Amino acid sequence: MSTTTSPLVIGHRGASGYRPEHTRAAYNLAFTLGADAVEPDIVATRDGVLVLRHENEISGTTNVADHPEFADRRTSKTIDGTVMTGWFTEDFTWAELATLRARERLPEVRRDNVAFNDSEPILRLSDLLELVDQHPEAQRRQLQVVAEIKHASYFESIGLPLDELFATEVSGWATADNLIIESFEQSVLHRIRDRGIPGKLVFLLESRGAPSDLVVRFGAQARNYAEHLTEDGLAQLALEVDGISVDKKMLMVKDLPGNLTGTNDLVPRAHAAGLLVFCWTLRAENRFLPKNLRSSKQPEQFGDWLGEFRTLMDSGLDGVFTDQPDLAVTARG
């Protein structure tokens, strides 16, 4: 099988720029468009089935609000310090969630995707692993999954240990070549590795705040994300994980009007420490681009995506998450 040139192009929740995220159509299209990998967000049902949703709160990505039989499940919860109101996967069995259908999460930006609303069910992680193995592209090249474990400390607190559930699901499927595991909480990554699951471990970092697992343990004294990115912090991370994945704005240098002028030294510093570096999320629409790369004031129109994608890739990134995998493949080429 052919090897991939750098950076790895990862279909963010599939080809979510063209189909509602986390659907079979989105994942299939991502590989057809040239993605090397796809990224599922993984949460759990009440009966311990791993399902693919951006959040465990599903009112914005499914038609659950249209199901009167589930009206009484609407509630408010605090997830990783944020109060959320809606319907949550952990309050449903898999059999119940299987009756729902997926919807476009960003209808105001991706109006064409709305046409696919309510046409596809929610997927389980097991469904995606089967899709990867059976996709025609798998005959030509190594396809990968970059699995994001969501809200691990929260799920553990309600008796749904995602490390155990994930390890059980991927055992026998996962290899060092087809799986990357990522999370904003390092502790769940280490527990998955301790369970004997192969694959690279990637620590996700936000531009502000601190990891939820550290906040649970240390409260206000928790080490924040910025402290992980100092020279000492990166050296320590290199002993614990294989790579880091950061918000693209953490790499960008902008002037005061908000124009992209280049990238900073985070990628070379992390590489010097021995870490891989990924970034998220490359998107073509004006709404997501720096001011000088927008084509108009219409947020849904494509701007100079090539300018942004290439600027970021030129920093030496090892992987990029993108909603439009074909465009990232073009930029890489």
Side-chain angles (χ1 to χ4, degrees):
M1 292 189 179
S2 62
T3 55
T4 305
T5 55
S6 200
L8 197 73
V9 170
I10 304 157
H12 183 238
R13 310 170 196 164
S16 54
Y18 306 123
R19 297 292 188 275
E21 64 189 33
H22 292 311
T23 58
R24 184 175 297 276
Y27 287 120
N28 272 323
L29 184 58
F31 287 128
T32 300
L33 293 177
D36 308 300
V38 293
E39 181 241 14
D41 295 317
I42 296 170
V43 294
T45 65
R46 187 171 70 205
D47 48 348
V49 176
L50 296 182
V51 294
L52 311 184
R53 289 288 92 190
H54 169 53
E55 292 288 344
N56 51 328
E57 199 289 294
I58 56 172
S59 62
T61 61
T62 73
N63 64 346
V64 64
D66 293 345
H67 281 250
E69 71 272 26
F70 299 139
D72 62 349
R73 308 279 177 96
R74 189 173 189 270
T75 188
S76 295
K77 302 186 183 194
T78 300
I79 311 294
D80 295 349
T82 301
V83 178
M84 307 177 82
T85 299
W87 289 262
F88 296 81
T89 58
E90 65 270 21
D91 296 332
F92 293 80
T93 64
W94 164 244
E96 290 171 330
L97 280 187
T99 66
L100 303 182
R101 293 298 178 264
R103 286 187 175 174
E104 172 56 39
R105 190 172 62 89
L106 301 170
E108 71 284 359
V109 179
R110 294 179 174 155
R111 297 169 186 168
D112 290 347
N113 286 6
V114 175
F116 302 100
N117 279 359
D118 301 346
S119 62
E120 293 206 46
I122 292 176
L123 293 182
R124 297 166 293 184
L125 176 58
S126 58
D127 297 321
L128 177 61
L129 302 184
E130 185 178 298
L131 180 154
V132 172
D133 289 341
Q134 295 179 356
H135 197 284
E137 285 296 309
Q139 303 301 314
R140 292 184 276 276
R141 54 197 177 93
Q142 176 69 62
L143 303 182
Q144 300 180 56
V145 169
V146 181
E148 181 178 349
I149 311 298
K150 299 293 289 262
H151 309 304
S153 293
Y154 166 76
F155 275 107
E156 186 175 29
S157 76
I158 60 171
L160 290 166
L162 295 187
D163 58 302
E164 181 181 339
L165 297 170
F166 181 79
T168 299
E169 193 70 69
V170 302
S171 180
W173 181 88
T175 70
D177 298 320
N178 69 6
L179 181 64
I180 297 170
I181 311 160
E182 61 175 6
S183 180
F184 287 101
E185 302 176 60
Q186 266 198 75
S187 54
V188 73
L189 299 178
H190 299 153
R191 290 198 299 271
I192 290 170
R193 177 165 281 176
D194 289 344
R195 291 180 180 277
I197 301 304
K200 293 183 174 66
L201 302 183
V202 172
F203 180 40
L204 286 157
L205 296 101
E206 300 254 29
S207 57
R208 64 186 68 181
S212 295
D213 54 344
L214 298 186
V215 172
V216 167
R217 287 178 62 193
F218 303 113
Q221 304 305 311
R223 193 180 195 194
N224 63 34
Y225 288 116
E227 291 174 279
H228 285 87
L229 297 178
T230 64
E231 187 173 347
D232 288 344
L234 289 170
Q236 182 62 37
L237 280 178
L239 302 175
E240 300 165 344
V241 294
D242 300 296
I244 60 173
S245 184
V246 299
D247 187 334
K248 67 182 181 182
K249 66 186 178 188
M250 296 165 68
L251 303 176
M252 291 178 166
V253 176
K254 294 182 181 179
D255 61 17
L256 280 178
N259 300 315
L260 179 63
T261 60
T263 54
N264 59 32
D265 65 350
L266 177 54
V267 174
R269 288 196 301 112
H271 281 166
L275 292 161
L276 299 168
V277 188
F278 296 178
C279 90
W280 41 272
T281 304
L282 275 55
R283 295 172 164 131
E285 294 95 348
N286 286 322
R287 173 173 164 179
F288 306 111
L289 293 172
K291 286 187 176 179
N292 58 321
L293 300 181
R294 296 172 189 168
S295 61
S296 71
K297 292 185 177 180
Q298 300 302 310
E300 75 280 4
Q301 291 181 353
F302 283 16
D304 180 13
W305 56 267
L306 188 60
E308 184 198 76
F309 289 19
R310 282 193 167 159
T311 297
L312 290 166
M313 288 181 180
D314 285 348
S315 70
L317 285 163
D318 300 286
V320 295
F321 293 85
T322 177
D323 288 3
Q324 290 102 358
D326 53 331
L327 304 186
V329 170
T330 296
R332 179 176 68 184

